[in-house]
């Protein structure tokens, strides 16, 4: 029984986008075209693959099972067809990267302009997501994460700065009003701006280190923001004098240099290893990803 790959891709796009309009918007096609493709696929298979309501589109049980098997299979088909790219003068295609918001803000801006100029036939799609996802299942070619969160059976290569630090800062107005902490434990008597990961875990405790001594502090505060999606809100509140923030040094550095924020406990700022680009070693490396690996000066 032969099934059109375009219909399978349409079904997968709608399922991943949780709707026809969303899938059409991201795929550069029309919702009616996707709807017709899914209806054709369901008629061909003789089963309903998607539950459709006016508010949502969700996979049926058989649809969910098909997605589980279909996603890696289509990735392999795409990789196999990508072999043709090796015979082009210039690599072409789409490179999809799943990255945390911090990497989208602090790592990629220094890399992407040069890469896009060097490879005009490659389109890059960035999915900024701070949750831990299966790169292949999410339809991405590679991801960026920190070493403690790398998936198993993945090849990891360094990207961006190899050492980063977490910085602590607050607005001068807040510090004039509430005092300047001289030791990490002093933070316990201050209003701190907190974050929560997609998993539900808070970003506390805050970790500090000086001369080999490591200190964990459980700060308290009235504001908790979703890591990534609302981090800039916490920064803005800190600048407005709403409390003390603890975040990537690179994220806060422009505000500290401008005077909007005042660095605190700088000799306690803890360094940590920079991020890694990771991709599956179980499949052929697509030409756009291979070009990206070459560009960031790592072996494929």
């Amino acid at each position: 029984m032969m099934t059109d790959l375009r219909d399978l891709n349409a079904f997968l796009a709608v399922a991943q986008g949780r709707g026809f309009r969303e899938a059409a918007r991201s795929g550069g096609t029309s919702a009616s075209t996707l709807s017709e493709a899914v209806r054709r696929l369901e008629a061909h298979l003789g089963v309903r693959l998607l539950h459709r309501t006016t508010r949502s589109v969700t996979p049926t049980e058989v649809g969910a099972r098909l997605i589980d098997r279909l996603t890696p299979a289509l990735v392999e088909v795409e990789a196999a067809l990508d072999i043709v790219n090796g015979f082009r003068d210039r690599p072409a295609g789409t490179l999809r990267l799943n990255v945390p918001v911090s990497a989208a803000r602090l790592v990629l801006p220094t890399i992407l302009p040069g890469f896009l100029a060097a490879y005009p036939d490659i389109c890059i799609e960035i999915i900024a997501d701070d949750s831990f996802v299966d790169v292949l299942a999410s339809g991405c070619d590679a991801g960026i994460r920190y070493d403690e969160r790398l998936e198993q059976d993945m090849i990891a290569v360094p990207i961006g700065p190899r050492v980063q630090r977490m910085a602590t800062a607050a607005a001068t107005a807040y510090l004039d009003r509430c005092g300047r902490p001289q030791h990490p434990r002093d933070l316990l008597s201050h209003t701190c701006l907190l974050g929560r990961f997609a998993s539900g875990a808070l970003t506390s405790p805050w970790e500090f280190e000086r001369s080999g001594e490591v200190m964990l502090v459980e700060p308290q505060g009235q504001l908790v923001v979703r890591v990534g999606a609302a981090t800039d809100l916490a920064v803005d509140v800190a600048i407005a004098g709403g409390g003390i923030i603890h975040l990537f040094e690179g994220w806060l550095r422009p505000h500290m240099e401008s005077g909007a924020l005042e660095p605190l406990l700088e000799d306690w700022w803890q360094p940590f290893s920079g991020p890694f680009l990771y991709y599956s070693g179980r499949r052929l490396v697509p030409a756009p990803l291979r070009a990206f690996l070459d560009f960031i000066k790592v072996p494929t």
Side-chain angles (χ1 to χ4, degrees):
M1 179 171 59
M2 298 297 293
T3 301
D4 194 321
L5 282 178
R6 290 171 296 184
D7 292 350
L8 291 172
N9 276 307
F11 159 67
L12 198 58
V14 172
Q16 291 175 340
R18 296 288 178 176
F20 290 93
R21 291 182 181 177
E22 293 79 0
R25 194 158 39 239
S26 62
T29 186
S30 68
S32 60
T33 297
L34 291 175
S35 179
E36 177 59 32
V38 172
R39 279 199 298 267
R40 188 166 53 242
L41 179 62
E42 289 178 327
H44 183 64
L45 298 177
V47 294
R48 179 176 290 277
L49 299 172
L50 296 173
H51 293 302
R52 305 165 178 81
T53 70
T54 56
R55 294 185 177 182
S56 66
V57 175
T58 58
T60 62
E61 180 181 358
V62 65
R65 292 190 180 187
L66 180 59
I67 291 169
D68 289 341
R69 299 295 297 272
L70 187 60
T71 301
L74 288 180
V75 167
E76 290 301 322
V77 169
E78 184 177 341
L81 293 174
D82 190 63
I83 292 175
V84 177
N85 251 328
F87 295 90
R88 299 181 188 271
D89 293 333
R90 295 185 304 190
T94 299
L95 172 62
R96 296 178 180 86
L97 300 178
N98 185 291
V99 308
V101 174
S102 59
R105 187 183 184 96
L106 304 177
V107 176
L108 293 180
T110 61
I111 296 174
L112 292 186
F115 178 77
L116 294 172
Y119 296 96
D121 296 325
I122 293 179
C123 173
I124 295 188
E125 182 177 342
I126 303 296
I127 296 89
D129 185 356
D130 281 277
S131 59
F132 191 43
V133 300
D134 183 321
V135 170
L136 295 183
S138 68
C140 293
D141 300 293
I144 295 178
R145 287 297 185 271
Y146 288 85
D147 54 0
E148 72 272 15
R149 302 189 68 192
L150 293 180
E151 296 180 12
Q152 294 181 348
D153 301 323
M154 288 286 177
I155 297 173
V157 294
I159 185 172
R162 296 325 308 140
V163 178
Q164 294 180 279
R165 293 193 302 177
M166 297 299 289
T168 310
T172 299
Y174 171 86
L175 297 171
D176 288 345
R177 186 173 73 249
C178 302
R180 287 166 173 76
Q182 302 301 311
H183 191 277
R185 70 171 68 93
D186 296 340
L187 294 172
L188 296 175
S189 60
H190 281 269
T191 298
C192 296
L193 306 171
L194 308 178
R196 189 182 299 278
F197 294 108
S199 65
L202 286 171
T203 54
S204 63
W206 292 357
E207 192 165 342
F208 298 88
E209 182 178 356
R210 185 178 67 179
S211 301
E213 178 187 1
V214 176
M215 171 161 286
L216 302 180
V217 176
E218 294 274 3
Q220 300 298 315
Q222 294 174 275
L223 178 66
V224 180
V225 303
R226 173 72 175 266
V227 170
T231 298
D232 275 330
L233 171 61
V235 175
D236 290 341
V237 171
I239 292 172
I244 295 176
I245 191 166
H246 186 70
L247 191 61
F248 288 90
E249 179 183 2
W251 205 314
L252 297 181
R253 178 57 62 188
H255 304 296
M256 292 187 288
E257 291 177 348
S258 72
L261 291 175
E262 185 177 320
L264 302 171
L265 306 169
E266 193 163 358
D267 57 340
W268 283 91
W269 291 359
Q270 185 182 55
F272 57 93
S273 174
F276 291 82
L277 179 80
Y278 69 105
Y279 60 98
S280 174
R282 296 168 291 175
R283 52 168 289 193
L284 296 171
V285 178
L289 176 57
R290 187 164 55 249
F292 191 72
L293 291 168
D294 290 340
F295 186 81
I296 62 175
K297 303 295 190 297
V298 296
T300 59

